[in-house]
Amino acid sequence: MGVQETPYSLRLSHEVMQKIRALAAKDKRSINMQLCVAVEYYLEQYEKEHGEIPVEPEH
């Protein structure tokens, strides 16, 4: 992970949160880390299919 961004409030349905919680427990991760892993995996898959996502360089 890099520099921590400003906290972001994420609203998930109860069912989705329960599933994230179950996966986090199974993998011995915090819910936050499980969400980070899920987002990173999504981004990797997206970029494999659509190419690299352009982002502004950090200052």
Side-chain angles (χ1 to χ4, degrees):
M1 305 269 158
V3 176
Q4 184 173 346
E5 293 287 331
T6 303
Y8 180 82
S9 178
L10 180 63
R11 293 177 182 91
L12 300 172
S13 71
H14 179 72
E15 181 181 3
V16 168
M17 192 62 203
Q18 290 297 93
K19 290 179 180 185
I20 294 292
R21 187 175 281 119
L23 288 176
K26 175 185 165 291
D27 294 335
K28 295 180 174 50
R29 292 185 178 123
S30 67
I31 292 169
N32 184 71
M33 186 53 66
Q34 189 67 37
L35 289 166
C36 289
V37 168
V39 169
E40 288 172 3
Y41 177 79
Y42 172 79
L43 291 172
E44 286 175 15
Q45 297 307 306
Y46 183 94
E47 288 186 327
K48 282 181 185 176
E49 187 173 332
H50 302 282
E52 188 172 343
I53 301 166
V55 294
E56 295 284 327
E58 293 185 27
H59 300 147

